[in-house]
Amino acid sequence: MPKFFVTKQQIENQIIITGEDAKHIKTVLRMKEGEKLTICDGEGMDYICRIASIEKDRIFTNILEKQYCESEPSVKITLFQGLPKVDKMEFIIQKCIEIGIECIVPVATEHSVVKLEKKEQKKLERWQKIAEAAAKQSGRGKIVKIGKVLSFQEALQECQKLDNAIIPYEKEQKRTLKEFIAEVKGKKIGVFIGPEGGFSPKEIAQAIEYHVEPVTLGKRILRTETAGMVTTAILIYELD
């Protein structure tokens, strides 16, 4: 069943869908009056609706029932992603949202090649659209927020709001992700992933000062667009 997001303010006895979503329903999906769709308030509540009428730029729907969305994992993972090349960031956003990430924060690190600067707002808007499309496609109960670009220091400070945080690092030899999972406390976890060039020794030292644990993901070095997905998938599988 197709899924669309609205704000809670749009939900009354009827839900009216406007904008690009209304156009998509009418011209792409070619849905008709009487057909059903799912509308989500973006906070975990799904509404099963029937299309009552279709106008030029609005779709009127009647609510048949409401239910909690069961697709949201109980473990809440924030991905602090070192800025990679732009196409890789889009891929990371799409796939990590499908897996079940709670929040994605772009981080400017020492080895980040990309510098957004004046284009930052435009890129954030595009990334947010990709996040919304991925949430719809995967049946999520919320639209994952893409945070503003933070410095590495700001990201370390932000992760103090979470219960735990790890930083996969290719030079870590002892502490494994498996060991971290066995001892983890709480459900809010931060994951720091480096850009193409990885983290510098200075950044790892800073992370340790903020109680962000370096862990190894195994004997192979993963690409930046792979590491976040692998870590997130393992954490959700083991802890959800």
Side-chain angles (χ1 to χ4, degrees):
M1 190 183 300
K3 188 169 192 174
F4 299 90
F5 288 90
V6 297
T7 64
K8 294 189 77 171
Q9 290 71 31
Q10 289 175 261
I11 300 173
E12 297 179 352
N13 293 329
Q14 268 194 332
I15 301 177
I16 303 173
I17 301 176
T18 59
E20 289 298 317
D21 283 344
K23 181 179 179 180
H24 185 76
I25 291 169
K26 181 179 178 181
T27 63
V28 179
L29 298 180
R30 298 184 180 276
M31 297 185 73
K32 307 296 183 183
E33 294 179 5
E35 292 191 75
K36 293 181 181 179
L37 46 73
T38 302
I39 300 175
C40 184
D41 65 3
E43 297 181 18
M45 184 64 74
D46 284 343
Y47 295 81
I48 308 303
C49 300
R50 177 177 284 121
I51 297 175
S53 62
I54 299 175
E55 295 187 357
K56 182 179 179 181
D57 56 357
R58 296 188 296 177
I59 308 291
F60 291 83
T61 68
N62 292 329
I63 299 172
L64 302 178
E65 60 179 295
K66 68 177 183 178
Q67 58 194 27
Y68 287 105
C69 179
E70 297 181 352
S71 65
E72 288 302 304
S74 60
V75 59
K76 307 300 181 184
I77 300 173
T78 297
L79 175 64
F80 295 94
Q81 174 65 52
L83 279 173
K85 294 178 181 177
V86 176
D87 58 337
K88 291 184 179 181
M89 188 64 178
E90 294 179 0
F91 179 80
I92 290 166
I93 290 170
Q94 183 186 67
K95 299 309 175 186
C96 284
I97 288 174
E98 290 177 17
I99 292 168
I101 207 87
E102 175 73 8
C103 180
I104 299 176
V105 180
V107 182
T109 69
E110 192 173 321
H111 293 161
S112 291
V113 176
V114 174
K115 307 294 182 184
L116 296 183
E117 298 175 346
K118 294 180 181 180
K119 297 181 179 179
E120 179 176 336
Q121 187 57 40
K122 186 176 180 180
K123 287 298 180 185
L124 288 176
E125 290 173 0
R126 174 167 173 76
W127 290 344
Q128 195 61 59
K129 287 183 178 179
I130 292 171
E132 182 172 348
K136 291 177 182 176
Q137 182 275 323
S138 57
R140 294 288 300 269
K142 63 175 291 182
I143 298 175
V144 173
K145 181 185 178 188
I146 309 301
K148 68 177 184 178
V149 179
L150 300 182
S151 68
F152 187 70
Q153 185 72 31
E154 289 171 332
L156 290 174
Q157 293 169 350
E158 184 68 20
C159 85
Q160 301 306 293
K161 301 174 183 177
L162 307 176
D163 298 319
N164 313 267
I166 56 173
I167 183 165
Y169 184 46
E170 67 273 13
K171 294 184 180 180
E172 174 60 33
Q173 300 294 323
K174 297 180 180 180
R175 184 69 163 168
T176 66
L177 182 58
K178 185 176 182 180
E179 290 172 336
F180 168 78
I181 290 171
E183 301 171 6
V184 69
K185 295 179 180 179
K187 288 289 188 177
K188 296 180 180 179
I189 301 173
V191 176
F192 283 77
I193 299 295
E196 287 88 347
F199 290 110
S200 70
K202 178 183 176 182
E203 287 170 328
I204 295 298
Q206 286 180 305
I208 293 172
E209 289 179 6
Y210 279 84
H211 307 290
V212 178
E213 298 184 55
V215 297
T216 175
L217 297 180
K219 297 178 180 180
R220 290 159 297 282
I221 297 176
L222 303 181
R223 293 177 180 271
T224 183
E225 65 268 32
T226 308
M229 290 190 292
V230 168
T231 306
T232 299
I234 292 172
L235 289 171
I236 290 177
Y237 178 81
E238 292 291 340
L239 299 174
D240 186 24

